[in-house]
Amino acid sequence: MEHKDITGSDNHEPKGVESASSGEVYVADGAGSGSWEPNTLGSKYCLSIQFADISTADSEWVVAPFAGNITAIYVVLDGAITVANSTVTVNIAGVPVVGLSVTVAFSGSAAGSVFSDTTITSGNAVTAGQAIQVLTDGASSTAMSARVILVIDV
């Protein structure tokens, strides 16, 4: 049998796998060889939800398709809100994520205004298939849609 015809359980790991460090990936050089290098692509993925009206107390749900840690949340408005700030929080399995709270400021808000929290420190682990609840307190006025992005580091 020629090497190019090996399939299934007869396949073997790429050359050098025994000396590769944990987390490294094999990068082909386009010339029939390659090397083991740190994974520079990262392992962050985003989940997105849409609030029809961030100015009404409500919650939306999303499922974590993989295990990891929520490391950031971003909120972007589709237009201005008025009167008061809205606050967006996240619960995992009914438990609030400690330190994760985004204040969506009404002052100066407009379409494309972005608010974020990238300092999440604990209670942020999710398991694959786990439901994540994103909540708004609805304290602001003016019905306005908003997109929420959760960043998960797997």
Side-chain angles (χ1 to χ4, degrees), residues 44-122:
K44 296 184 186 302
Y45 297 91
C46 296
L47 300 176
S48 176
I49 64 104
Q50 180 81 26
F51 277 110
D53 180 9
I54 199 165
S55 296
T56 298
D58 196 8
S59 69
E60 297 289 338
W61 295 86
V62 65
V63 174
F66 33 69
N69 292 303
I70 298 174
T71 58
I73 181 172
Y74 295 89
V75 179
V76 61
L77 291 173
D78 289 331
I81 57 175
T82 58
V83 179
N85 300 336
S86 280
T87 302
V88 175
T89 57
V90 175
N91 291 348
I92 299 171
V95 178
V97 177
V98 175
L100 192 158
S101 179
V102 177
T103 299
V104 181
F106 79 95
S107 179
S109 67
S113 293
V114 177
F115 307 89
S116 64
D117 182 358
T118 58
T119 60
I120 303 152
T121 58
S122 64

Side-chain angles (χ1 to χ4, degrees), residues 4 15 27 104 115:
K4 69 177 182 66
K15 291 180 182 176
V27 179
V104 181
F115 307 89

